[in-house]
Amino acid sequence: AVERTLSIIKPDAVQKNAIGAILGRFEAAGLRVIATKMLYLSQEDAGGFYAVHKARPFYGELCAFMSSGPVLVSVLEGEGAILKNRDLMGATNPKDAAPGTIRADFADSIDANAVHGSDSAETAAWEISYFFSQREIFSR
Ligand code: CMP
């Protein structure tokens, strides 16, 4: 089925000048960028986005990192977009990421891991609505 997923190119990858390289991988895999914008998240913005992780020990560091520089948030659309994006990203920890994945090629650590992608259809709908209004999304 055609799905939508929320992608974030994190501060480390933006700093590395890798926005184009990463978006290019999505497009080459058949995903379409149907919304995108650059944002500088506050700690509160990041905290709200990652509220599901509030009780985790890494929550504070995660929110600090995600608000340490600009990010690129995008909506990707395509056949099986959620799993396709996760396959392209590779494992959360770059040490475990398969060769050729975005995290293997661009991530430095489990915190500075280059990209985020929605993990389910329910999460994707919520994450997309966190950053985008309907007017900002341009489906085919
Ligand atoms: P992301 O897919 O953006 O979702 C939550 C983020 O928390 C994750 O990527 C990692 O960057 C970060 N994180 C830090 N430590 C951990 C951990 N132990 N398990 C999962 N995520 C972690």
Side-chain angles (χ1 to χ4, degrees):
V2 174
E3 296 174 338
R4 292 178 179 183
T5 191
L6 191 280
S7 164
I8 305 179
I9 300 180
K10 297 190 180 187
D12 57 316
V14 172
Q15 178 60 33
K16 280 186 180 157
N17 208 23
I19 288 174
I22 293 172
L23 292 182
R25 290 186 183 207
F26 297 148
E27 292 183 339
L31 296 173
R32 178 168 287 264
V33 178
I34 61 166
T36 195
K37 59 187 163 188
M38 207 163 196
L39 293 174
Y40 203 134
L41 303 179
S42 67
Q43 291 248 16
E44 292 69 32
D45 293 333
F49 181 77
Y50 283 118
V52 64
H53 295 307
K54 205 163 203 152
R56 308 287 287 278
F58 56 82
Y59 181 70
E61 259 187 281
L62 172 62
C63 296
F65 175 69
M66 290 301 289
S67 56
S68 67
V71 299
L72 193 83
V73 295
S74 305
V75 181
L76 308 177
E77 185 175 76
E79 191 64 34
I82 295 165
L83 190 60
K84 193 175 270 185
N85 182 38
R86 294 183 72 78
D87 287 345
L88 292 168
M89 290 193 297
T92 303
N93 189 336
K95 287 178 187 150
D96 303 324
T101 60
I102 293 168
R103 282 165 171 159
D105 291 344
F106 296 104
D108 297 320
S109 68
I110 194 165
D111 289 302
N113 69 345
V115 281
H116 166 84
S118 309
D119 64 5
S120 72
E122 295 69 36
T123 312
W126 184 86
E127 291 183 351
I128 290 167
S129 70
Y130 191 82
F131 288 119
F132 293 97
S133 71
Q134 285 308 314
R135 299 171 47 199
E136 295 176 304
I137 299 172
F138 301 91
S139 193
R140 276 196 282 181

